Amino acid sequence: MKFCKRYEDYMRGRREKELPALGLKQLKKILKRCGREFQSQHQKQDDGGGSKFAGNCAVCDGTFFPSLHKEMSAVVVCFNQHARKLLKLHLASGFRKLIMWLRGKSPKNDGALIQEGKDLVAYAIINSIAMRKILKKYDEVHCSKQGQAFRSKAPSMHIEILQSPWLCELMAFYINLRQSKLKKEGITELYNDCSLTCDDDGKPTLSCGLFDSMQIEIDLTCSICLDTVFDPVALTCGHLFCYMCCCAAASITIVDGLKAADPKAKCPLCRQEGVNAGAMHLVELNILLSQSCPEYWEKRCQTERVERVRQAKEHWQSLCREFMGM
C-alpha cells in the first residue's frame, strides 16, 4: 500500500478527534501541475528529453511551501496542546483528577490514558514521515535540494514535530505506565512500543518506530557534561540538557532560573537565540531515568545537592551584602 493511501486511512480513523493533517493529495497535485507546465514551456531547451530542472520554481514555490508550512504548523500546535493536556492530567493530584473527570475533561481510566498517549506519538511520527516524503518528492520533480533545505530549516520554523519536547515526554510517559504494569488496551497496529535502551557505555536512548519504516531515537546525553541528562530540561529549539548545565551555559544560577537568562543567549548546541525563556522541565523523563538508572541517579543527586546548596548560599550572601550596602 502506498504511503499516501495509508496516511489517509490512518487520519480518517482519527477524524472524530478533529486532528489536523497534511493535504498530501493537494500537495502532489501542485507538483504534478508544475511538472506539466514546465515540460510544455521548456521541452525544446531540455537536451536530455526530461522535464526536471534545478533551482527555484516560480510555478509551485508560491503555493507548495506556504501550504506545507501552514499545515505542518497546525499539526505541531495541535500535538503540543493535546500532549500538554494529557501529561498535565497524568501528573495532577488525585483530587484534581476527580474534578477534571467530573467535568468530562479526562479519560476515565489509565488504559485510556495509555491509548491516548500512544495515539499522539503515532500521530507525531506519521506526520513527520509525511512531510519527509512530500519534500523528497519535491526534490525529485525539480531535481533540486530545495526540499532538503526546507526540512533543515524546519526546527527553526518550529514545524519539526520530532524535535518537540512533548514527544520525548509522551514516550517516557508511556514507558512509565508500562513499567507500572498497567493493563494495556487497544494496541494500535501502526505503532511499535517505545523503549529505553542503553549502549555498551550505559548511555540511555529513547526509541520508537512506526510502519517499520522509520525508527525514532532520542539521545539522552547532555551535550555539555557528556553524561546522561539529569533533571532534564528542553529548550524551545528542542535540544535536551541537564538543568544545571543549561543554567551554567546561560551564565545564570539555578536560583535565578532560565527565565532570567539573557534573551539573546544561544542554545549551546545549535546556537539559536532566545531559547531559554520557553524552556520546559521534562518531568516524565526525569521519573523514567531515576527508575531506570537508580545508582547513577543517586550519585548525581548527591553531587547536584552540594552544588545547589553552594549556589543558593552564594546567592543569599550576595543579596545580604546588597541590602547592607556592602
Side-chain angles (χ1 to χ4, degrees):
M1 183 185 296
K2 291 185 177 181
F3 177 81
C4 186
K5 175 64 176 176
R6 207 169 184 181
Y7 177 78
E8 289 181 352
D9 290 344
Y10 177 82
M11 294 308 304
R12 194 177 296 113
R14 274 75 189 161
R15 187 170 295 172
E16 68 277 2
K17 296 184 179 180
E18 298 182 352
L19 299 176
L22 294 182
L24 289 184
K25 276 191 173 181
Q26 186 62 30
L27 292 172
K28 283 189 174 182
K29 286 181 180 179
I30 295 175
L31 295 179
K32 287 182 180 179
R33 185 173 63 248
C34 169
R36 288 194 300 266
E37 292 186 18
F38 176 80
Q39 185 175 16
S40 63
Q41 293 175 9
H42 300 271
Q43 189 171 10
K44 295 182 179 180
Q45 301 177 7
D46 192 351
D47 297 333
S51 61
K52 297 183 179 181
F53 58 96
N56 297 324
C57 172
V59 178
C60 68
D61 282 11
T63 55
F64 178 84
F65 287 120
S67 297
L68 179 59
H69 182 275
K70 181 179 179 181
E71 293 171 356
M72 200 61 198
S73 295
V75 168
V76 173
V77 170
C78 178
F79 169 76
N80 289 342
Q81 289 176 346
H82 279 73
R84 185 183 296 110
K85 290 180 181 179
L86 177 64
L87 294 172
K88 182 180 180 181
L89 171 66
H90 179 240
L91 296 172
S93 63
F95 179 74
R96 184 173 180 81
K97 286 183 180 180
L98 176 62
I99 297 299
M100 295 176 70
W101 179 77
L102 292 175
R103 292 178 178 177
K105 295 183 178 181
S106 69
K108 294 183 180 180
N109 51 55
D110 289 326
L113 282 174
I114 294 174
Q115 184 61 47
E116 186 174 350
K118 290 163 62 178
D119 286 344
L120 282 174
V121 175
Y123 173 74
I125 297 176
I126 196 173
N127 277 284
S128 176
I129 296 174
M131 184 176 75
R132 182 190 63 177
K133 286 186 175 293
I134 196 63
L135 289 174
K136 183 178 180 181
K137 183 68 175 178
Y138 178 95
D139 284 347
E140 290 176 355
V141 170
H142 297 84
C143 205
S144 71
K145 294 184 178 180
Q146 294 298 317
Q148 183 179 345
F150 181 87
R151 187 184 174 194
S152 65
K153 295 178 182 178
S156 61
M157 295 187 289
H158 304 290
I159 60 172
E160 179 50 83
I161 198 168
L162 295 184
Q163 287 198 354
S164 170
W166 293 108
L167 178 61
C168 183
E169 275 288 81
L170 279 175
M171 293 168 65
F173 155 80
Y174 170 68
I175 298 174
N176 286 335
L177 291 185
R178 185 179 61 187
Q179 290 180 345
S180 299
K181 297 183 180 180
L182 292 175
K183 184 179 180 181
K184 295 185 287 185
E185 302 176 358
I187 300 298
T188 306
E189 61 178 358
L190 300 178
Y191 180 80
N192 294 329
D193 285 348
C194 297
S195 62
L196 179 68
T197 58
C198 297
D199 59 16
D200 296 336
D201 297 327
K203 298 295 179 65
T205 301
L206 271 178
S207 61
C208 180
L210 186 71
F211 285 144
D212 297 326
S213 65
M214 188 172 186
Q215 185 75 15
I216 306 302
E217 293 188 348
I218 301 177
D219 186 12
L220 301 180
T221 301
C222 174
S223 301
I224 299 176
C225 66
L226 302 180
D227 214 334
T228 302
V229 288
F230 181 85
D231 191 13
V233 61
L235 305 183
T236 55
C237 58
H239 293 119
L240 309 182
F241 303 96
C242 303
Y243 180 67
M244 187 169 290
C245 292
C246 201
C247 288
S251 301
I252 55 173
T253 66
I254 58 172
V255 180
D256 295 324
L258 288 174
K259 291 185 177 180
D262 187 338
K264 294 184 178 181
K266 299 179 180 180
C267 169
L269 194 59
C270 67
R271 311 307 296 168
Q272 182 178 336
E273 293 185 354
V275 294
N276 291 303
M280 60 174 283
H281 274 91
L282 304 182
V283 181
E284 291 285 353
L285 181 59
N286 194 51
I287 295 173
L288 174 61
L289 290 174
S290 65
Q291 295 175 348
S292 302
C293 314
E295 295 182 0
Y296 165 76
W297 215 251
E298 180 61 29
K299 183 178 179 181
R300 281 294 296 264
C301 277
Q302 295 176 1
T303 304
E304 296 253 338
R305 189 179 296 114
V306 173
E307 179 62 20
R308 287 171 183 257
V309 170
R310 184 189 69 79
Q311 289 193 23
K313 183 177 180 180
E314 290 181 354
H315 176 78
W316 290 112
Q317 287 178 344
S318 175
L319 290 180
C320 288
R321 286 194 295 269
E322 291 181 4
F323 180 77
M324 298 296 294
M326 297 174 63

